[in-house]
């Protein structure tokens, strides 16, 4: 089982209204990380995706103690007190997502966009042809991009130089295209597992 916790970003204005409340709910080390971002929307996303992790650990594993990260040699975070639990975090201007499981996972959520220069840079020639021939090139490109990102995150790697040659054929992907919400979300794991998706809100906060 892989549990995925997701939240939408209604607007940058709403995110700004919620930010102060969210920051007060974070442990000091995560608050400092959030505040290291220049823009309020990025501070909000950093806070919100961490709260998704808190929610998932509490609901799925009964873990309510303070969360502490350490990092592997490539910078992938893991839980110091619960290294047997794997997680992956991602956010974009449209939403945030957290995947939690007993097996290594990677998740990526991206706004649906099409950038031809980026597509040529990261896709193989065949994949690029498939994207531009698609009836929805933006969705096809964003799906291909999230597959590569989630695969790298599952392995615990950073971005590599030659994404065109990245072989993802042995991985298992589950992709959700949310047209109305404006994003694509892809989960990657080494083996197929059942998914359960939870849409999350913030207690004590009302959109303005």
């Amino acid at each position: 089982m892989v549990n995925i916790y997701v939240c939408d970003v209604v607007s940058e204005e709403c995110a700004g209204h919620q930010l102060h409340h969210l920051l007060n709910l974070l442990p000091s080390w995560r608050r400092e990380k959030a505040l290291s971002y220049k823009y309020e929307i990025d501070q909000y996303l950093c806070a919100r995706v961490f709260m998704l992790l808190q929610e998932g650990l509490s609901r799925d594993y009964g873990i309510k103690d303070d969360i502490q990260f350490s990092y592997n040699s490539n910078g992938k975070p893991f839980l110091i007190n619960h290294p047997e639990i794997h997680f992956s975090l991602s956010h974009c201007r449209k939403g945030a997502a957290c995947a939690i499981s007993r097996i290594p996972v990677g998740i990526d959520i991206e706004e649906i966009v099409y950038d031809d220069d980026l597509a040529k840079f990261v896709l193989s020639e065949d994949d690029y042809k498939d994207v531009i021939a698609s009836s929805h090139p933006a969705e096809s490109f964003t799906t291909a991009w999230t597959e590569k990102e989630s695969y790298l995150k599952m392995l615990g790697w950073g971005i590599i130089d030659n994404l065109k040659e990245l072989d993802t054929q042995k991985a298992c992907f589950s992709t959700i295209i949310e047209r109305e919400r404006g994003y694509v979300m892809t989960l990657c794991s080494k083996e197929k597992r059942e998914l359960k998706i939870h849409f999350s809100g913030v207690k004590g906060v009302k959109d303005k």
Side-chain angles (χ1 to χ4, degrees), residues 19 22-37 41-54 66-71 75-79 87-91 96-98 153:
L19 179 59
L22 264 61
L23 290 174
N24 286 334
L25 298 176
L26 298 178
S28 58
W29 68 267
R30 188 68 182 188
R31 188 183 309 117
E32 290 176 6
K33 179 174 178 60
L35 291 172
S36 70
Y37 290 96
I41 183 62
D42 297 314
Q43 295 174 10
Y44 169 86
L45 289 165
C46 180
R48 195 67 186 87
V49 76
F50 183 80
M51 292 179 66
L52 293 177
L53 176 62
Q54 289 179 310
D66 289 340
I67 298 173
Q68 294 292 330
F69 288 178
S70 188
Y71 299 86
K76 182 178 182 178
F78 63 88
L79 300 172
F87 71 94
S88 182
L89 307 176
S90 182
H91 55 75
C98 168
K153 293 172 77 172

Side-chain angles (χ1 to χ4, degrees), residues 1-8 52 55-56 59-60 96-100 107 109 174-178 181 183-187 193-200:
M1 170 71 75
V2 179
N3 284 285
I4 301 176
Y5 290 82
V6 187
C7 73
D8 297 339
L52 293 177
E55 180 180 350
R59 178 183 292 186
D60 302 334
C98 168
I100 308 174
I107 197 164
I109 183 171
S174 298
T175 297
I176 297 170
I177 299 173
E178 290 282 1
R181 292 182 165 98
Y183 61 73
V184 171
M185 178 173 64
T186 296
L187 176 89
R193 291 293 176 94
E194 180 184 354
L195 302 183
K196 190 170 184 179
I197 299 175
H198 313 264
F199 285 92
S200 177

Side-chain angles (χ1 to χ4, degrees), residues 72 74 76 104-106 150-157 166 190:
N72 70 11
N74 292 315
K76 182 178 182 178
V105 290
S150 63
Y151 179 71
L152 291 171
K153 293 172 77 172
M154 186 267 294
L155 294 176
W157 299 356
L166 184 65
K190 290 183 178 179

